[in-house]
Amino acid sequence: MSTAKQVLEPAFQGAGQKPGTEIWRIENFNPVPLPKSDYGKFYCGDSYIVLQTTCNRGGAYHFDCHFWIGKDSSQDEAGTAAIKTIELDTMLGGRAVQHREPQGYESDMFISYFKPCIIPMEGGFASGFKTPEVDKFETRLYICKGKRAIRVKEVPFARSALNHDDVFILDTENKIYQFNGANSNIQERAKALEVIQHLKDKYHEGVCDVAIVDDGKLQAESDSGEFWVVFGGFAPIGKKVVSDDDVILETSPTKLYSINNGKLNLEDIVLTKSILENTKCFLLDCGSELFVWVGRVTQVDDRKAASAAVEEFIVKQNRPKTMRVTQVIQGYENHTFKSKFESWPLSATGNAGAEEGRGKVAALLKKKGDVKGGSKNSTPVNEEVPPLLEGGGKLEVWCVDDSAKTALQKEDLGKFHSGDCYIVLYTYHSGEKREEFYLTYWIGKDSVLEDQHMALQIANTMWNSMKGRPVLGRIYQGKEPPQFIALFQPMVILKGGISSGYKKSIEEKGLKDETYSSTGIALVHIQGTSVHNNKTLQVDAVSTSLSSTDCFVLQTGNSMFTWIGTTSSYEQQQWATKVAEFLKPGASVKHCKEGTESSTFWNPLGGKQNYTSKNATQDVVREPHLYTFSFRNGKLEVTEVFNFSQDDLLTEDVMILDTHGEVFVWMGQCVDTKEKQTAFETGQKYIDHEVAFEGLSPDVPLYKVTEGNEPCFFRTYFSWDNTRSVIHGNSFQKKLSLLFGMRSESGSKGSGDGGPTQRASALAALSSAFNPSSQDKQSNDRPRSSGDGGPTQRASALAALSSSLNTSSKPRSPQSRPGQGSQRAAAVAALSNVLTAEGSILSPRIGTSSQLQMKLVDIYFSLPSHINIRITLTLDMCCLHVVLYLDSLHHFLYRNS
């Protein structure tokens, strides 16, 4: 068997010792480290190895090894990259996931390391191609494909390369054009804008004009004319010619092959985890992609033989050379691989079965206690205080009983019965932001199904009546999230129930009603102590329920005791006193330490017996994941969005954010209403799937969140920019607004609906649009292309302003979002400022800019709430005309002139 020392490659020394990306290029059949300044540059004639090292919140290291094969790379170079990737994996302890990445067909994960895209360049080290001259600018045409992980390919600079179905970018020396085919996808258009920004920053030093050219709307705009002039004049473009790039491999029924001595044998059996033997390698053929599974005790030579066998399989099966291949090691299988099996039961030891690390890096990881997966010493979920809701809000709680809900009195807020279901509504303000709502329904573990269904129905009705603004959550007893617990100081879960459904259920089952009584005997367990983790639960009133690590409250008649475990904390002791006061206000409380109890304490518990002194098992931290999903033949299929950001929350989509502690179903503004109503059903199907394959708790909190109403505990998983949610329109329109400056440079993460920020952004954008000379002065006379971009920039600013003013096509109503009024007023103020600075001559029927300002503001705020306002702006020479349409009252403004 080859040892790590024997296969150690000098170039790999020190690899994987810290999180981040490391890249090697194959030169003369050896891996050579690439300078960090060259990261993201890939040449078509070369092959590369890319190592991505991540450290999860529990301290465990995870490795993804990719070998990228350029389209003009030789077969020998590609083979060397594959073999050297195996050696790198061996050095890392043999537990990395390996990925074969053909140029143009890279995995979403690979592309996510180099956002927004990679643009391979012609040439290479050993291919004989000449490296292109860096200083000489050359006009290029690119085609862009992909909704999130966008793939950019250079195509011949010719009109014949264009079509009606795709998005193209024409990069000239002084201007970048985006051509949107009439049938192109909105989300691809949006992602292409990110590519434009990338090209602008990388090849134009951040200074160049940008223009959008829409297929079919070509003659009216000067930008379109300029675009077609570059191609030698306008002429109709032809239909798309289908190429290999457009062939989408269909997912086919999976087939499993065992690999013995480099030979493949078909295993014609139902796919279950138990088939996979730890001494063998297997090939899983999914049609559109291939997986190689490696047993943890297979030899390095067997792994290399398996890799060669897969390459031979691709040729014999006439699969495209661009086929993606992923290799996973036993114990470190990824989500996609496991989902191909009928079942994937979790082992009791998690990843502890993975082989001991080999080589220098494995020894380092062993010191970290992480060679076996890092789950053993992971930190608890709630070690740090998570983002909590703003305090000082209004808290309302209702208990569900039959088809009605009964409001709880103030003194009972925080008391929950395990046999009941409750509706919780918290109304609060987040900084300067408009009113926000946190709406949840809580399900006791002993509650009846009728009450559970009614709780969902009532909560949904409330959610709909509030126009979908609240975050709506489903919370099961025992899995309360921090922001829910923090609302109650304290929160105590008591036995029994008060609903008629629960009472009827225990009567029919012949069970004793153990519902908590303020005059009876009750033992309450105090576990957590912080505001977000004060888990307090009534347990059986017997001494075996005690634990030396915690505190307890014993209620017996009118007497109250706090019992202090020997290893409990001072904070727990304080919390126990608070709970006793909460359950029986004004009662005197006796404090007894473990070992000093009197018979008065033990008698209500049936006498002293042995009890535990062990700490409760803590949940482990898992990394958050963002998914898109689809249904195929009724089965949920999820696709991960890697290295996700706020940009991946596309307004036309429904997304799933899984933090392992909570599951969020996020819905964009442009999602169909019916789809929004079924969000919980989708979320439940996802949970069912993850329970079977990833060990997710079936009782995990489930939330549905709408775009623009994301709570702080959702935003914390992103680098959040609040101003983006106030930009209306589809994905392309939103991204276009951002590209043209309708966003704070600092990317405000504070609260608020973007009022001051949006006002400043609008003002800056408009000032820039109508005062190009001042912009040039502020930018130190940086070079510009021919023409100052006035018409294009002004048109863009006008479009952005119109979008801001026309926030809704529906009539305004008292229930309309308060942020809309301030946003429109801010836009009007910004417009007035620009007009004043510009000194524009307005139509005599309207007046001067200052008069216009007063009229716009006065008219807007004097309108009845049911009147719909729509403002259109047109540019005619040096005069800006503003027309207000107030339903059918088209002459309203002129009558008030």
Side-chain angles (χ1 to χ4, degrees):
M1 176 177 176
S2 299
T3 65
K5 188 173 183 179
Q6 289 172 326
V7 299
L8 182 62
E9 170 62 56
F12 293 147
Q13 289 189 19
Q17 292 192 17
K18 58 183 179 180
T21 306
E22 297 170 85
I23 305 178
W24 297 263
R25 180 167 60 187
I26 303 300
E27 300 179 7
N28 295 325
F29 306 107
N30 289 301
V32 177
L34 205 64
K36 289 197 179 292
S37 59
D38 288 340
Y39 281 19
K41 295 179 181 178
F42 292 89
Y43 287 90
C44 301
D46 289 332
S47 293
Y48 297 79
I49 295 174
V50 177
L51 172 65
Q52 184 71 14
T53 304
T54 54
C55 180
N56 67 27
R57 296 163 68 191
Y61 273 41
H62 180 81
F63 306 104
D64 283 283
C65 294
H66 306 257
F67 58 101
W68 186 88
I69 303 171
K71 66 180 178 66
D72 299 319
S73 177
S74 69
Q75 190 171 352
D76 289 340
E77 273 192 345
T80 300
I83 295 300
K84 292 299 181 181
T85 299
I86 295 173
E87 294 178 7
L88 174 60
D89 175 28
T90 303
M91 219 195 80
L92 295 170
R95 61 196 194 91
V97 178
Q98 298 176 35
H99 311 262
R100 180 181 189 266
E101 306 283 359
Q103 178 183 336
Y105 299 85
E106 299 87 354
S107 65
D108 290 358
M109 176 186 287
F110 184 83
I111 292 177
S112 73
Y113 306 149
F114 309 100
K115 285 187 173 181
C117 63
I118 60 172
I119 305 178
M121 298 176 288
E122 294 295 328
F125 175 80
S127 59
F129 290 101
K130 187 177 180 181
T131 303
E133 297 180 43
V134 177
D135 296 331
K136 182 180 179 182
F137 190 91
E138 187 176 335
T139 298
R140 298 177 186 275
L141 182 64
Y142 303 96
I143 186 171
C144 302
K145 294 176 182 252
K147 292 167 56 175
R148 286 182 178 78
I150 193 161
R151 290 160 182 82
V152 181
K153 178 184 177 182
E154 185 177 354
V155 294
F157 172 40
R159 185 192 296 108
S160 58
L162 302 173
N163 63 63
H164 301 292
D165 300 315
D166 292 314
V167 178
F168 295 84
I169 293 175
L170 176 64
D171 186 12
T172 70
E173 187 169 5
N174 296 318
K175 202 167 191 175
I176 303 176
Y177 300 85
Q178 176 169 324
F179 176 81
N180 297 325
N183 304 323
S184 61
N185 183 283
I186 287 175
Q187 295 176 338
E188 282 187 333
R189 297 182 187 185
K191 295 302 289 187
L193 288 170
E194 293 182 22
V195 178
I196 287 180
Q197 189 65 52
H198 171 71
L199 294 172
K200 182 178 177 182
D201 293 340
K202 190 168 184 178
Y203 300 111
H204 299 268
E205 299 180 347
V207 183
C208 101
D209 289 329
V210 175
I212 307 301
V213 178
D214 287 324
D215 183 13
K217 300 178 182 178
L218 306 174
Q219 289 77 24
E221 299 178 6
S222 60
D223 290 325
S224 298
E226 293 176 3
F227 175 81
W228 290 110
V229 165
V230 178
F231 286 97
F234 172 75
I237 57 177
K239 291 184 178 181
K240 181 176 182 178
V241 177
V242 178
S243 65
D244 292 340
D245 293 345
D246 299 305
V247 176
I248 300 176
L249 295 174
E250 292 293 332
T251 300
S252 60
T254 53
K255 296 178 182 179
L256 185 69
Y257 297 85
S258 59
I259 307 176
N260 298 304
N261 298 320
K263 302 296 182 182
L264 274 62
N265 302 303
L266 179 63
E267 303 287 344
D268 190 15
I269 49 179
V270 177
L271 297 184
T272 61
K273 181 183 178 182
S274 60
I275 300 169
L276 305 174
E277 301 176 31
N278 61 6
T279 58
K280 292 183 178 181
C281 296
F282 291 82
L283 170 66
L284 185 68
D285 179 10
C286 304
S288 59
E289 58 185 333
L290 301 176
F291 290 91
V292 179
W293 183 90
V294 177
R296 66 174 179 268
V297 294
T298 52
Q299 297 184 3
V300 175
D301 291 340
D302 288 338
R303 299 181 186 188
K304 291 182 178 180
S307 178
V310 172
E311 294 290 340
E312 185 179 345
F313 174 83
I314 292 174
V315 174
K316 285 186 176 180
Q317 293 284 323
N318 199 26
R319 301 294 176 86
K321 293 181 180 180
T322 53
M323 174 71 70
R324 282 206 304 268
V325 180
T326 302
Q327 178 175 302
V328 295
I329 187 73
Q330 182 181 5
Y332 297 93
E333 298 87 355
N334 62 18
H335 185 281
T336 308
F337 178 82
K338 289 188 285 190
S339 66
K340 304 298 182 183
F341 287 73
E342 292 293 323
S343 62
W344 195 272
L346 298 176
S347 61
T349 55
N351 286 334
E355 66 179 323
E356 292 293 335
R358 293 175 248 169
K360 183 177 179 181
V361 177
L364 173 68
L365 295 176
K366 192 171 183 180
K367 290 180 182 179
K368 293 176 176 286
D370 182 42
V371 173
K372 294 186 178 182
S375 61
K376 181 170 60 175
N377 297 318
S378 296
T379 54
V381 170
N382 293 317
E383 187 177 27
E384 296 181 2
V385 178
L388 303 175
L389 304 179
E390 294 285 338
K394 180 183 178 182
L395 178 63
E396 300 171 273
V397 182
W398 296 268
C399 180
V400 175
D401 190 359
D402 200 8
S403 60
K405 66 182 194 295
T406 305
L408 266 60
Q409 298 300 313
K410 185 176 181 180
E411 60 270 17
D412 290 328
L413 296 180
K415 295 177 183 177
F416 293 82
H417 287 85
S418 62
D420 292 330
C421 295
Y422 296 83
I423 308 291
V424 177
L425 174 62
Y426 183 62
T427 305
Y428 64 102
H429 286 82
S430 179
E432 298 177 359
K433 198 169 184 179
R434 58 188 172 83
E435 213 168 35
E436 293 193 62
F437 307 95
Y438 177 73
L439 175 64
T440 61
Y441 66 102
W442 183 90
I443 299 174
K445 68 179 181 64
D446 299 320
S447 60
V448 296
L449 283 175
E450 292 79 6
D451 285 349
Q452 296 177 20
H453 294 156
M454 184 53 61
L456 170 60
Q457 184 177 328
I458 294 173
N460 260 328
T461 300
M462 294 174 67
W463 187 79
N464 286 325
S465 69
M466 301 169 80
K467 308 299 182 185
R469 284 180 56 193
V471 52
L472 176 58
R474 182 193 69 190
I475 296 171
Y476 285 106
Q477 177 184 334
K479 286 293 182 179
E480 294 83 6
Q483 60 276 1
F484 183 87
I485 294 173
L487 296 177
F488 307 96
Q489 300 299 313
M491 173 182 172
V492 183
I493 300 175
L494 303 169
K495 286 193 170 191
I498 58 177
S499 76
S500 56
Y502 172 78
K503 298 293 186 185
K504 182 180 179 182
S505 173
I506 61 170
E507 183 180 348
E508 291 176 347
K509 295 176 182 178
L511 301 175
K512 180 184 176 182
D513 189 353
E514 295 184 317
T515 300
Y516 169 81
S517 169
S518 60
T519 59
I521 297 174
L523 183 65
V524 179
H525 187 184
I526 314 295
Q527 284 180 291
T529 57
S530 58
V531 294
H532 64 280
N533 190 26
N534 49 65
K535 296 179 180 178
T536 306
L537 174 70
Q538 183 181 354
V539 294
D540 293 338
V542 292
S543 56
T544 53
S545 297
L546 299 174
S547 170
S548 299
T549 61
D550 296 320
C551 292
F552 291 77
V553 172
L554 175 63
Q555 169 192 294
T556 170
N558 293 321
S559 300
M560 298 291 285
F561 295 87
T562 62
W563 184 84
I564 303 168
T566 54
T567 57
S568 64
S569 66
Y570 175 71
E571 290 77 14
Q572 282 178 306
Q573 299 166 27
Q574 289 183 311
W575 203 263
T577 302
K578 186 173 184 176
V579 171
E581 173 64 23
F582 176 60
L583 292 175
K584 199 174 282 291
S588 61
V589 181
K590 301 175 183 178
H591 305 282
C592 59
K593 295 182 179 180
E594 181 180 358
T596 65
E597 308 88 349
S598 65
S599 59
T600 310
F601 177 84
W602 290 118
N603 288 339
L605 299 178
K608 183 177 181 180
Q609 299 181 56
N610 292 332
Y611 49 83
T612 185
S613 59
K614 295 181 180 179
N615 283 311
T617 303
Q618 297 280 8
D619 290 334
V620 297
V621 170
R622 301 282 182 92
E623 291 301 294
H625 296 273
L626 184 69
Y627 297 101
T628 62
F629 63 89
S630 60
F631 291 97
R632 188 186 296 270
N633 299 324
K635 182 181 178 182
L636 180 72
E637 293 188 358
V638 295
T639 303
E640 183 164 3
V641 180
F642 298 97
N643 297 316
F644 62 85
S645 67
Q646 188 179 356
D647 281 334
D648 293 307
L649 300 175
L650 301 179
T651 190
E652 297 85 9
D653 280 352
V654 178
M655 311 284 292
I656 293 174
L657 174 66
D658 178 5
T659 71
H660 203 74
E662 295 163 304
V663 171
F664 299 87
V665 180
W666 180 91
M667 301 168 292
Q669 292 172 351
C670 297
V671 170
D672 183 78
T673 303
K674 291 182 180 179
E675 201 168 353
K676 290 182 179 180
Q677 296 299 331
T678 60
F680 266 17
E681 288 86 338
T682 300
Q684 185 56 54
K685 287 180 180 178
Y686 171 80
I687 290 172
D688 293 341
H689 180 274
E690 295 301 286
V691 167
F693 290 95
E694 294 294 332
L696 188 69
S697 169
D699 296 335
V700 65
L702 174 63
Y703 288 103
K704 66 176 177 179
V705 180
T706 54
E707 182 181 7
N709 298 296
E710 297 88 352
C712 59
F713 54 93
F714 176 89
R715 300 195 301 263
T716 189
Y717 296 100
F718 302 82
S719 180
W720 198 262
D721 182 352
N722 280 325
T723 61
R724 297 189 180 204
S725 62
V726 300
I727 300 174
H728 293 264
N730 58 39
S731 298
F732 175 67
Q733 292 165 338
K734 286 173 178 282
K735 187 69 67 176
L736 188 61
S737 296
L738 292 173
L739 182 65
F740 279 96
M742 298 295 288
R743 180 177 61 148
S744 169
E745 287 297 320
S746 61
S748 171
K749 295 181 183 179
S751 57
D753 63 0
T757 305
Q758 179 74 0
R759 191 173 307 183
S761 300
L763 200 57
L766 287 165
S767 295
S768 171
F770 289 94
N771 296 285
S773 59
S774 63
Q775 181 191 38
D776 288 343
K777 291 178 182 178
Q778 293 174 354
S779 60
N780 298 320
D781 297 318
R782 63 189 182 188
R784 298 178 60 87
S785 62
S786 57
D788 63 2
T792 304
Q793 199 173 5
R794 294 187 187 196
S796 303
L798 292 175
L801 179 63
S802 294
S803 173
S804 175
L805 291 169
N806 299 306
T807 54
S808 174
S809 59
K810 298 179 181 179
R812 292 178 298 143
S813 65
Q815 291 79 26
S816 295
R817 303 194 313 176
Q820 290 180 356
S822 60
Q823 188 184 357
R824 296 188 187 188
V828 170
L831 173 63
S832 174
N833 183 286
V834 171
L835 292 173
T836 302
E838 177 81 359
S840 298
I841 302 173
L842 299 174
S843 168
R845 300 192 65 182
I846 298 180
T848 66
S849 61
S850 59
Q851 292 172 331
L852 173 62
Q853 177 190 23
M854 296 303 298
K855 288 173 183 174
L856 287 174
V857 174
D858 290 344
I859 289 171
Y860 175 76
F861 287 105
S862 66
L863 290 174
S865 61
H866 67 278
I867 294 294
N868 178 32
I869 182 170
R870 180 166 60 89
I871 298 181
T872 62
L873 304 100
T874 57
L875 190 68
D876 180 13
M877 299 297 289
C878 63
C879 182
L880 183 73
H881 298 280
V882 181
V883 183
L884 276 70
Y885 291 91
L886 311 171
D887 288 339
S888 61
L889 308 179
H890 298 306
H891 303 291
F892 188 92
L893 175 61
Y894 300 112
R895 292 208 310 272
N896 285 271
S897 298

